[in-house]
Amino acid sequence: MASEQTFIMIKPDGVQRGLVAPIISRFEKRGYKLVALKMAEPSEQLLREHYADLQEKPFFPGLLKYMRSGPVVATVWEGKDVVKTGRTILGATNPLASQPGTIRGDFAIDVGRNVCHGSDSVESAKKEISLWFKPEEVFRYKPATFDWIYE
């Protein structure tokens, strides 16, 4: 079975609103494996690296301020097609365009307070995971439920 990893971050609004457990639960219920987890107060430098592609956007200063307004929860999930499916679980970037049943569709209204970040490709997931986690912080193990999830 081909497996991949994705980076999912619960942003300051998600942490402040007590949505950490419900968000993690959605990925676990789907069958994905949590391989790394930490709470952090990201530095401006880390956020500039993470959001490097957005630095020229007019909203970037506000994004930095918001992302430094409180702790975030950084996670790494592993499983078959987890990047694409993870984005589906999160819902559209604009919560008003997100389907009910998605995280953003159920828990968010404004784009600037959309609760989570999720990698948009395998390549960006690798980059984001390496920014937020040391290699030894990402665990390798086979969960007891593996054979009940995958053929």
Side-chain angles (χ1 to χ4, degrees):
M1 181 210 61
S3 186
E4 62 190 31
Q5 293 180 335
T6 195
F7 177 77
I8 303 291
M9 175 176 36
I10 304 168
K11 296 178 179 179
D13 55 318
V15 173
Q16 291 290 337
R17 292 177 55 202
L19 298 174
V20 174
I23 291 167
I24 288 173
S25 177
R26 296 215 183 176
F27 283 85
E28 287 180 323
K29 286 179 182 176
R30 183 64 188 247
Y32 289 117
K33 177 173 67 168
L34 181 63
V35 295
L37 170 92
K38 74 167 111 176
M39 182 175 257
E41 288 186 328
S43 67
E44 182 174 329
Q45 179 60 33
L46 174 58
L47 293 170
R48 286 185 177 280
E49 289 178 58
H50 181 88
Y51 290 114
D53 59 325
L54 302 177
Q55 287 196 41
E56 301 304 318
K57 302 287 185 180
F59 61 80
F60 188 72
L63 174 63
L64 277 181
K65 183 178 177 185
Y66 154 64
M67 291 299 297
R68 298 209 60 221
S69 68
V72 301
V73 173
T75 65
V76 179
W77 294 90
E78 187 174 290
K80 185 177 181 180
D81 209 19
V82 71
V83 173
K84 180 181 170 191
T85 305
R87 301 275 299 174
T88 302
I89 292 168
L90 293 181
T93 302
N94 180 348
L96 295 179
S98 293
Q99 295 296 313
T102 65
I103 291 167
R104 291 175 179 146
D106 290 350
F107 300 130
I109 295 172
D110 281 334
V111 173
R113 299 291 182 270
N114 68 0
V115 182
C116 289
H117 163 85
S119 301
D120 61 5
S121 69
V122 172
E123 296 76 28
S124 67
K126 288 177 183 175
K127 175 190 161 230
E128 292 168 354
I129 291 165
S130 71
L131 282 174
W132 289 84
F133 293 93
K134 297 173 188 164
E136 63 270 18
E137 295 176 316
V138 181
F139 293 86
R140 297 186 184 282
Y141 66 99
K142 182 179 177 183
T145 58
F146 182 87
D147 293 329
W148 297 106
I149 295 168
Y150 295 104
E151 296 182 298

